């Protein structure tokens, strides 16, 4: 048995249904971000930058692309003989097999994996947040306070506190009470879903609560540890942290990367973000192209104009095309004389010539207004948008569409066009 001081368990099974068509065939942590990355690259890079070299990645929903992306962990220097990165899907056991039914249930089902390393501490992470954090500093805080559970917290505006799990602490940051999405919050310290547990404490709490339906950290494990008198502490984090769980927050987080002075900087030498990179040729900007305040991925060819946008790898933008405030994911082909405004276009999509996205007034989306809003046009992966079509704001298109699918060449704002076989 190999002893590790701290191992990480990264929860990456989320469907991310609030990202609509972008997670219909891929888990949220595998969604592209910032031109060349996937969302899961950020917690994985945090691990290796923090000296945590043993990471279990718990997958469940649509895991194929995530598994392919992680592989044996080479980009993050996690291809270790002892430790490294291990993908942990639910598996069949001799008795009652089940899917992961809650965050803590997923961890419980992998007790054997953790036991293998007999760690002092276990770090629990979510796979779908964008941030940089040194977990070693959090571990030092945990040890100094003699904590058995440390919860990373972030100050949020008081008026937003009711959306979060809120920690109430004394002057030494010991947690005296907590409230899940309280109507009248008594504190503004929101849980970030990042926990450090003493291994013995975690193991006991999981075994004692194993039969709870939908076993969850916030609802079951943390309250149990509190009730048992385990010292719980809140570690305050004041850096950049973004939950990119909605289309508007995902769009905003990408746009923040291209601010003149980005709040979240991808270019820092001492805290690199690692990813699986394809072997691609350099980007190409033609003589007639214009690119302002944008990220352009490797292997992309720009013949048109790109303003304030994030363009992935292997994308082609045709002559006369103007793209503004948009996110274009890898290997998408955009024809000539198109106009794209505030669009999110997924991988391997073909947009033919003379297409306009994001035109006209905003209208509420007819099927999922809680997902498709903020004036964003959403186009799912491997879609085809035929020549000359105009698509309004808050619309969504997914699938191989033809001219017959559009009324007079238009899809008005707020409409949903999903072709059979491309269900969300």
């Amino acid at each position: 048995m190999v002893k590790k001081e701290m191992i990480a368990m990264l929860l990456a099974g989320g469907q991310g249904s609030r990202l609509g068509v972008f997670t219909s065939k891929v888990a949220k942590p595998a969604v592209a971000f910032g031109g060349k990355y996937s969302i899961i690259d950020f917690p994985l890079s945090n691990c290796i930058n923090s000296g945590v070299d043993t990471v279990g990645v718990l997958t469940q929903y649509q895991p194929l692309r995530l598994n392919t992306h992680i592989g044996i962990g080479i980009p993050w220097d996690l291809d270790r003989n002892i430790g490294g990165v291990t993908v942990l899907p639910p598996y069949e056991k001799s008795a009652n097999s089940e899917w992961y039914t809650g965050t803590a249930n997923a961890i419980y089902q992998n007790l054997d994996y953790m036991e293998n390393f007999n760690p002092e501490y276990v770090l629990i992470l979510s796979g779908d947040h964008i941030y940089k954090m040194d977990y070693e500093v959090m571990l030092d805080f945990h040890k100094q306070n003699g904590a058995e559970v440390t919860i990373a917290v972030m100050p949020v505006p008081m008026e937003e506190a009711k959306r979060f799990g809120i920690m109430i602490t004394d002057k030494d940051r010991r947690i005296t009470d907590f409230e899940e999405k309280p109507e009248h919050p008594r504190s503004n310290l929101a849980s970030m879903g990042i926990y450090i547990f003493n291994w013995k404490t975690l193991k006991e709490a999981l075994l004692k609560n194993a039969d709870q339906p939908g076993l969850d950290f916030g609802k079951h494990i943390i309250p149990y540890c509190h009730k048992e008198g385990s010292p719980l502490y809140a570690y305050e984090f004041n850096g950049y942290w973004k939950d990119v769980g909605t289309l508007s927050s995902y769009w905003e987080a990408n746009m923040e990367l291209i601010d003149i002075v980005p709040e979240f900087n991808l270019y820092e030498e001492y805290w690199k973000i690692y990813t699986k990179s394809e072997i691609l040729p350099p980007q190409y900007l033609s003589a007639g192209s214009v690119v302002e305040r944008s990220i352009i991925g490797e292997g992309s060819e720009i013949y048109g104009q790109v303003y304030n946008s994030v363009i992935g790898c292997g994308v082609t933008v045709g002559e006369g095309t103007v793209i503004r405030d948009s996110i274009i994911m890898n290997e998408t082909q955009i024809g000539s004389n198109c106009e794209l405004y505030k669009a999110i276009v997924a991988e391997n999509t073909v947009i033919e010539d003379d297409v306009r996205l994001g035109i006209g007034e905003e209208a509420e989306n007819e099927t999922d207004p809680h997902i498709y809003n903020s004036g964003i046009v959403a186009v799912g992966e491997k879609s085809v948008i035929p020549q000359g079509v105009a698509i309004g704001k808050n619309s969504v298109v997914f699938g191989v569409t033809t001219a017959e699918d559009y009324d007079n060449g238009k899809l008005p704002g707020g409409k949903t066009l999903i072709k059979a076989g491309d269900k969300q």
Side-chain angles (χ1 to χ4, degrees), residues 55-59 63 66-67 70-71 85-89:
V55 185
V57 179
L58 290 79
T59 61
L66 197 59
N67 295 356
I70 293 168
V85 69
T86 308
V87 176
L88 301 167

Side-chain angles (χ1 to χ4, degrees), residues 98-389:
E98 60 173 346
W99 287 101
Y100 296 152
T101 56
T103 52
N105 173 266
I107 303 292
Y108 167 73
Q109 289 198 42
N110 287 285
L111 275 173
D112 288 351
Y113 169 80
M114 295 183 285
E115 193 79 77
N116 217 19
F117 299 102
N118 190 24
E120 294 283 321
Y121 309 101
V122 178
L123 170 67
I124 311 284
L125 302 170
S126 168
D128 49 15
H129 298 142
I130 304 292
Y131 66 109
K132 294 177 190 173
M133 183 190 229
D134 190 339
Y135 304 132
E136 209 165 8
V137 177
M138 183 174 169
L139 179 60
D140 288 343
F141 173 89
H142 179 87
K143 291 177 184 168
Q144 282 159 10
N145 286 290
E148 288 185 27
V149 185
T150 296
I151 300 172
V153 297
M154 193 164 185
V156 295
M158 209 62 182
E159 58 275 16
E160 286 180 30
K162 62 174 72 163
R163 292 175 33 223
F164 298 93
I166 293 297
M167 305 293 136
I168 292 111
T169 65
D170 64 16
K171 63 181 187 341
D172 297 321
R173 282 283 182 247
R174 182 161 179 163
I175 296 168
T176 55
D177 203 359
F178 40 83
E179 308 166 316
E180 189 59 39
K181 300 185 178 169
E183 197 46 51
H184 303 290
R186 289 183 281 153
S187 150
N188 70 333
L189 293 177
S191 168
M192 296 168 68
I194 298 169
Y195 314 110
I196 291 178
F197 283 87
N198 287 7
W199 167 228
K200 289 190 178 71
T201 307
L202 176 63
K203 188 174 166 184
E204 183 203 315
L206 290 170
L207 290 169
K208 285 275 166 58
N209 293 277
D211 54 355
Q212 293 273 12
L215 185 60
D216 182 84
F217 280 101
K219 290 196 193 94
H220 305 114
I221 299 300
I222 306 288
Y224 171 83
C225 293
H226 187 56
K227 186 167 96 292
E228 292 296 307
S230 299
L232 271 66
Y233 279 81
Y235 171 73
E236 189 173 326
F237 177 71
N238 285 295
Y240 179 97
W241 181 82
K242 195 99 170 179
D243 178 348
V244 288
T246 65
L247 274 191
S248 55
S249 66
Y250 173 80
W251 179 83
E252 277 166 21
N254 272 277
M255 293 300 116
E256 283 167 357
L257 296 175
I258 47 181
D259 282 346
I260 303 297
V261 181
E263 198 181 338
F264 188 77
N265 188 348
L266 291 172
Y267 302 95
E268 284 171 338
E269 191 57 38
Y270 73 94
W271 200 268
K272 289 188 172 139
I273 306 299
Y274 301 94
T275 189
K276 178 185 180 214
S277 288
E278 305 299 333
I279 307 303
L280 291 167
Q283 55 194 220
Y284 172 75
L285 309 179
S286 79
S289 67
V290 178
V291 176
E292 282 184 13
R293 227 175 89 165
S294 297
I295 288 172
I296 310 287
E298 297 117 319
S300 288
E301 299 178 24
I302 312 296
Y303 299 93
Q305 300 173 37
V306 179
Y307 301 97
N308 208 49
S309 294
V310 175
I311 310 290
C313 301
V315 172
T316 302
V317 176
E319 277 186 41
T321 287
V322 180
I323 299 176
R324 294 182 190 275
D325 303 342
S326 295
I327 301 163
I328 313 295
M329 298 186 203
N330 298 352
E331 305 298 336
T332 286
Q333 308 301 307
I334 301 173
S336 303
N337 302 313
C338 297
E339 288 175 37
L340 283 74
Y341 173 66
K342 211 173 180 185
I344 305 178
V345 181
E347 289 90 346
N348 295 291
T349 288
V350 175
I351 295 177
E352 296 183 355
D353 298 345
D354 304 306
V355 167
R356 293 186 297 146
L357 300 184
I359 60 158
E361 298 297 309
E362 275 195 48
E364 188 174 274
N365 184 266
E366 60 188 359
T367 51
D368 295 291
H370 62 294
I371 294 177
Y372 305 110
N373 50 44
S374 311
I376 293 166
V377 181
V379 181
E381 65 173 35
K382 296 182 182 166
S383 296
V384 173
I385 298 186
Q387 183 167 355
V389 162

